[in-house]
C-alpha cells in the first residue's frame, strides 16, 4: 500500500503541470432513476438464420461460457430481430429449399437496393424460412445460456387491404406453446418508418402499424403461456429527425401503441463506413444521444401511461459497425457512456447490437473470441446496480465524465459504484472525497496505448479467456480515493467498506 501511495504521488508530481484535477461527488440521499435489473441486453440478427448462424455454434462450450458470463445475477435479454425479420417465415416443414419470394423486385430502385445491401451485406430482399427444428435449437440455447428471448415477427406479411397477416405468427405461437417454451416478449417489424429504403413503394404508416400491434396484443392474450411480459415497438430509427419523431409519436398515440409495454427506438452514433478514431472519443458525438432520449421520454410521458423507454437496438456505428474501431478498444467510450447516460435518463433496457454478427459485436465474427466491449459489459453487469445516483464533477468537463449507481447485488447494501472515462490525450487526477479507506478499482486501458487494439488491459493485465469453459478472474486493485486516470482510459470504482448511500438500502 505504501508503494502504491508513492506511485500516486509521483504521478501527480510529474503530471501536475499537464493534467487537470477533478473532484467527483454524488448525492447519497435520493435515487434519480431506476432501470430494469436486466438493463443491459444483447441482440442477434435474424439474418444469421440465412447462413445457419455462421460460426456461432450454440452447442460450443466457448459460446455458452461467454453467453452465461453476461448473466451474473439475472437473465440477459436477447432480441432476435432486425431487417431480415421482415422476410422470415416460420414453417413446420424441414424442407426450406422452396422458391424464395422477392419483395416487389420490379419496383426496387437500384439506389435503394445498393443502400440496403451496403448497410448489411448478409441480408437480402428474399423470403427465407425458419423451421421448427431451428426454433427448438434457439430455445435450447437461450435456456442453457440464461438468456431471455424477445422475437421480432414479420410485419411485412400483409393482406390485400394492407393489414398485417397474422397467420404465420399464430402458427409459431401454437408451436411454441405446444412445446412448453417461455418468452420474455415480442416485437413486430424492424424500423418500419424506413421501409422505403427496402422498397421505394413500400409504406407501413404509423397508424397502420398501430393497428397491427393491437391485433398482435389481442392474439397474444390467447397464448398466456407464451405471451411473455414484453411487447416492444415501434422499433424506429433514431429520434434525431422530424419525420422519425413524428412516426414514433403518431404510433404511440394509436390503440396498438397504447398496448406496447416497452416503447423503443434504435440508435447509432456514426456511419460505420466513414467513422474515425476521433469520432469514438469526441464528447460532442457522445452527447448527441441525450436529446434523443429526452425526445422519446417526452413522447411516452404525453401518452399518460407509465412506461419506460428502451433502446431496442444500439451500437457505435451503423452499417454493421466500423471495421477496426467498433470491434476495438476505442469502442468502449461510446458503449460505457451510452449505458451511463441511458440509465440516468430513465431508460429501462439497452439492447447491444450485437452478441455475434457484424463489426460491432461483442464476439469476433471469425474466432468467436471476446472483443474488448465484451469485458466492459461483463464488468458493468457484475459491478453496477440498477439504482442511479446524481453525480457532480468539478470542474465540469465533457471529456472527463462519471456516473454513479448503487452497487450490484453482489456487494453489501449501501455500497456505491462510480464509473467513468478520460477522453483526453493527457492523464488527469480524480478525487472522490466521499469515499474512505481502500476502494476496489478496475482501471481499463489500451495495450501499448493502441486505441485500435483488439484487447483491453484490466489493471495492466490483458483480458483473455483462460479456457473455453472459464473466464479470467476480473480482479480489482485496492486504492485510496485519489486516482490517476491515464489518457483514453476508463474505470469502475466500488466503495463497499461502509454504507455510502442509505438510498441504496432495500426497504
Amino acid at each position: 500500500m505504501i508503494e502504491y501511495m508513492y506511485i500516486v504521488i509521483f504521478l501527480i508530481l510529474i503530471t501536475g503541470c499537464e493534467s487537470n484535477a477533478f473532484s467527483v461527488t454524488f448525492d447519497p440521499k435520493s435515487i434519480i432513476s431506476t432501470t430494469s435489473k436486466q438493463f443491459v441486453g444483447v441482440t442477434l440478427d435474424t439474418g444469421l438464420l440465412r447462413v445457419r448462424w455462421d460460426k456461432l455454434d450454440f452447442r460450443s462450450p466457448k459460446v455458452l461460457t461467454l453467453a452465461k458470463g453476461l448473466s451474473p445475477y439475472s437473465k440477459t435479454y436477447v432480441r432476435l430481430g432486425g431487417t431480415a425479420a421482415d422476410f422470415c417465415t416460420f414453417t413446420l416443414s424441414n424442407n426450406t429449399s422452396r422458391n424464395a419470394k422477392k419483395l416487389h423486385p420490379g419496383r426496387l430502385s437500384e439506389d435503394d437496393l445498393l443502400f440496403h445491401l451496403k448497410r448489411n451485406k448478409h441480408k437480402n430482399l428474399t423470403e427465407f424460412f425458419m423451421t421448427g427444428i431451428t426454433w427448438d435449437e434457439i430455445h435450447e440455447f437461450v435456456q442453457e445460456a440464461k438468456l431471455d428471448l424477445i422475437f421480432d415477427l414479420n410485419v411485412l406479411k400483409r393482406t390485400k387491404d394492407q393489414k398485417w397477416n397474422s397467420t404465420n405468427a399464430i402458427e409459431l405461437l401454437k408451436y411454441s406453446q405446444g412445446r412448453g417454451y417461455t418468452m420474455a416478449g415480442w416485437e413486430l417489424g424492424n424500423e418500419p418508418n424506413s421501409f422505403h429504403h427496402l422498397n421505394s413503394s413500400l409504406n407501413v404508416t404509423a397508424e397502420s402499424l398501430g393497428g397491427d400491434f393491437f391485433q398482435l396484443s389481442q392474439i397474444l392474450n390467447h397464448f398466456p403461456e407464451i405471451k411473455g411480459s414484453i411487447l416492444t415497438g415501434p422499433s424506429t430509427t433514431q429520434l434525431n429527425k422530424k419525420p422519425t419523431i413524428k412516426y414514433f409519436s403518431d404510433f404511440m398515440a394509436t390503440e396498438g401503441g397504447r398496448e406496447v409495454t416497452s416503447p423503443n427506438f434504435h440508435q447509432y452514433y456514426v456511419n460505420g463506413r466513414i467513422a474515425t478514431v476521433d469520432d469514438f472519443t469526441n464528447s460532442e458525438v457522445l452527447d448527441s444521444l441525450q436529446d434523443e432520449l429526452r425526445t422519446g421520454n417526452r413522447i411516452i410521458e404525453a401518452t399518460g401511461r407509465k412506461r419506460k423507454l428502451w433502446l431496442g437496438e444500439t451500437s457505435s456505428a451503423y452499417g454493421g459497425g466500423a471495421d477496426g474501431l467498433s470491434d476495438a478498444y476505442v469502442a468502449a467510450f461510446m458503449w460505457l457512456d451510452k449505458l451511463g447516460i441511458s440509465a440516468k435518463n430513465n431508460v429501462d433496457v439497452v439492447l447491444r447490437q450485437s452478441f455475434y454478427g457484424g463489426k460491432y459485436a461483442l464476439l469476433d465474427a471469425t474466432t468467436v473470441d471476446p472483443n474488448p466491449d465484451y469485458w466492459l459489459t461483463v464488468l458493468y453487469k457484475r459491478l453496477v446496480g440498477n439504482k442511479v445516483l446524481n453525480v457532480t464533477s468539478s470542474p465540469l468537463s465533457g471529456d472527463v465524465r462519471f456516473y454513479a449507481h448503487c452497487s450490484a447485488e453482489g456487494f453489501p447494501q449501501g455500497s456505491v459504484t462510480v464509473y467513468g472515462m478520460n477522453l483526453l490525450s493527457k492523464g488527469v487526477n480524480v478525487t472522490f472525497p466521499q469515499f474512505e479507506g481502500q476502494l476496489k478499482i478496475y482501471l481499463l486501458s489500451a495495450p501499448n496505448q493502441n486505441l485500435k487494439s483488439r484487447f483491453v488491459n484490466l489493471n495492466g493485465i490483458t483480458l483473455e479467456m483462460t479456457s473455453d469453459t472459464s473466464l479470467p478472474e476480473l480482479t480489482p486493485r485496492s486504492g485510496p480515493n485519489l486516482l490517476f486516470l491515464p489518457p483514453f482510459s476508463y474505470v469502475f470504482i466500488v466503495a463497499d467498506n461502509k454504507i455510502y448511500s442509505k438510498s441504496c438500502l432495500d426497504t
Side-chain angles (χ1 to χ4, degrees):
M1 182 49 58
I2 293 175
E3 291 180 356
Y4 174 75
M5 287 297 296
Y6 281 131
I7 292 172
V8 171
I9 294 170
F10 176 72
L11 288 171
I12 293 173
L13 289 174
I14 65 172
T15 61
C17 297
E18 300 177 359
S19 302
N20 294 320
F22 292 84
S23 176
V24 176
T25 59
F26 59 91
D27 181 1
K29 297 180 180 179
S30 62
I31 303 299
I32 62 170
S33 176
T34 302
T35 72
S36 166
K37 289 187 177 181
Q38 296 171 268
F39 175 59
V40 184
V42 294
T43 70
L44 285 170
D45 199 295
T46 309
L48 287 169
L49 292 168
R50 289 189 185 273
V51 292
R52 301 181 64 84
W53 304 108
D54 199 10
K55 292 181 172 59
L56 185 68
D57 180 0
F58 285 161
R59 295 182 176 86
S60 160
K62 181 178 181 180
V63 170
L64 285 168
T65 299
L66 290 166
K68 290 177 181 178
L70 297 175
S71 301
Y73 307 116
S74 58
K75 287 184 176 181
T76 293
Y77 287 130
V78 58
R79 175 249 191 178
L80 181 56
T83 305
D86 291 316
F87 300 92
C88 180
T89 295
F90 174 70
T91 178
L92 290 173
S93 170
N94 293 324
N95 179 15
T96 60
S97 61
R98 66 184 86 173
N99 291 331
K101 301 175 184 177
K102 289 187 178 180
L103 182 67
H104 304 299
R107 300 180 189 174
L108 188 67
S109 73
E110 183 177 358
D111 288 342
D112 282 346
L113 178 59
L114 287 173
F115 175 90
H116 176 65
L117 293 179
K118 284 179 181 178
R119 187 172 185 182
N120 205 318
K121 293 179 181 178
H122 68 262
K123 296 173 182 173
N124 58 47
L125 302 179
T126 58
E127 181 185 29
F128 66 101
F129 299 92
M130 178 180 71
T131 67
I133 291 176
T134 299
W135 188 239
D136 294 340
E137 292 172 346
I138 292 168
H139 278 274
E140 289 173 10
F141 172 66
V142 299
Q143 289 171 18
E144 176 70 16
K146 298 194 296 185
L147 301 174
D148 240 353
L149 180 62
I150 299 168
F151 187 72
D152 189 4
L153 295 165
N154 185 344
V155 79
L156 290 183
K157 289 190 173 295
R158 315 298 290 178
T159 63
K160 290 182 179 180
D161 56 354
Q162 288 305 304
K163 294 180 180 179
W164 179 50
N165 185 339
S166 60
T167 303
N168 192 248
I170 292 172
E171 187 177 359
L172 176 62
L173 288 165
K174 286 181 178 178
Y175 180 82
S176 301
Q177 189 157 289
R179 299 286 286 180
Y181 294 143
T182 58
M183 295 286 296
W186 302 87
E187 184 179 11
L188 181 59
N190 181 79
E191 300 182 356
N193 64 301
S194 191
F195 279 156
H196 59 278
H197 287 312
L198 307 181
N199 185 318
S200 56
S201 65
L202 186 62
N203 181 33
V204 177
T205 66
E207 292 76 12
S208 179
L209 186 69
D212 301 337
F213 265 82
F214 184 76
Q215 181 185 354
L216 174 58
S217 70
Q218 300 309 296
I219 291 170
L220 289 172
N221 288 336
H222 294 288
F223 296 90
E225 292 87 355
I226 198 70
K227 176 181 179 180
S229 61
I230 296 162
L231 180 59
T232 186
S235 310
T236 64
T237 53
Q238 56 199 85
L239 299 180
N240 61 355
K241 295 180 180 178
K242 289 182 178 179
T244 309
I245 294 170
K246 185 178 187 307
Y247 192 102
F248 187 93
S249 181
D250 289 348
F251 169 82
M252 292 305 301
T254 65
E255 193 172 25
R258 289 189 287 272
E259 294 293 324
V260 165
T261 63
S262 307
N264 88 78
F265 70 95
H266 300 173
Q267 186 272 341
Y268 297 84
Y269 291 105
V270 291
N271 183 337
R273 294 186 292 276
I274 59 174
T276 65
V277 170
D278 290 343
D279 291 331
F280 280 71
T281 58
N282 186 325
S283 60
E284 292 183 0
V285 173
L286 301 188
D287 288 340
S288 65
L289 175 58
Q290 179 92 2
D291 285 342
E292 295 185 56
L293 298 180
R294 288 173 177 167
T295 298
N297 283 327
R298 185 178 66 250
I299 293 171
I300 294 169
E301 185 178 352
T303 67
R305 297 196 175 192
K306 290 186 178 180
R307 294 172 288 181
K308 288 191 172 183
L309 185 65
W310 282 32
L311 287 181
E313 177 192 304
T314 188
S315 196
S316 55
Y318 61 85
D323 191 11
L325 297 172
S326 294
D327 50 2
Y329 169 84
V330 74
F333 302 113
M334 285 183 172
W335 182 219
L336 185 61
D337 194 66
K338 179 174 297 181
L339 295 176
I341 203 169
S342 296
K344 190 174 181 179
N345 280 273
N346 210 37
V347 173
D348 204 36
V349 169
V350 176
L351 297 179
R352 166 63 184 255
Q353 178 88 345
S354 62
F355 178 62
Y356 174 85
K359 298 300 180 182
Y360 41 38
L362 297 181
L363 307 185
D364 182 81
T366 302
T367 65
V368 201
D369 287 335
N371 285 326
D373 273 5
Y374 174 83
W375 302 114
L376 187 164
T377 306
V378 170
L379 280 169
Y380 188 98
K381 300 194 78 167
R382 288 188 185 183
L383 307 178
V384 181
N386 69 321
K387 297 177 181 178
V388 186
L389 302 167
N390 194 42
V391 168
T392 301
S393 295
S394 179
L396 186 64
S397 170
D399 293 316
V400 179
R401 48 181 72 197
F402 280 89
Y403 302 92
H405 292 229
C406 301
S407 297
E409 59 189 77
F411 296 93
Q413 289 190 29
S415 302
V416 170
T417 298
V418 174
Y419 58 96
M421 64 194 69
N422 177 16
L423 299 173
L424 297 170
S425 58
K426 59 182 180 181
V428 297
N429 301 305
V430 187
T431 58
F432 304 89
Q434 290 158 291
F435 292 155
E436 302 173 4
Q438 293 298 296
L439 310 173
K440 292 181 171 67
I441 298 172
Y442 302 78
L443 179 62
L444 295 111
S445 58
N448 300 315
Q449 299 181 337
N450 177 14
L451 298 186
K452 291 186 177 182
S453 173
R454 296 295 299 276
F455 297 93
V456 56
N457 286 350
L458 171 60
N459 295 325
I461 299 174
T462 301
L463 294 177
E464 297 180 272
M465 293 187 76
T466 54
S467 72
D468 283 354
T469 57
S470 61
L471 302 181
E473 293 292 331
L474 303 180
T475 306
R477 64 172 169 83
S478 295
N481 65 359
L482 172 62
L483 173 70
F484 177 75
L485 197 55
F488 300 116
S489 64
Y490 61 101
V491 68
F492 294 87
I493 301 169
V494 180
D496 65 347
N497 51 18
K498 60 175 283 188
I499 294 175
Y500 285 100
S501 173
K502 291 184 178 180
S503 298
C504 294
L505 299 175
D506 290 337
T507 55

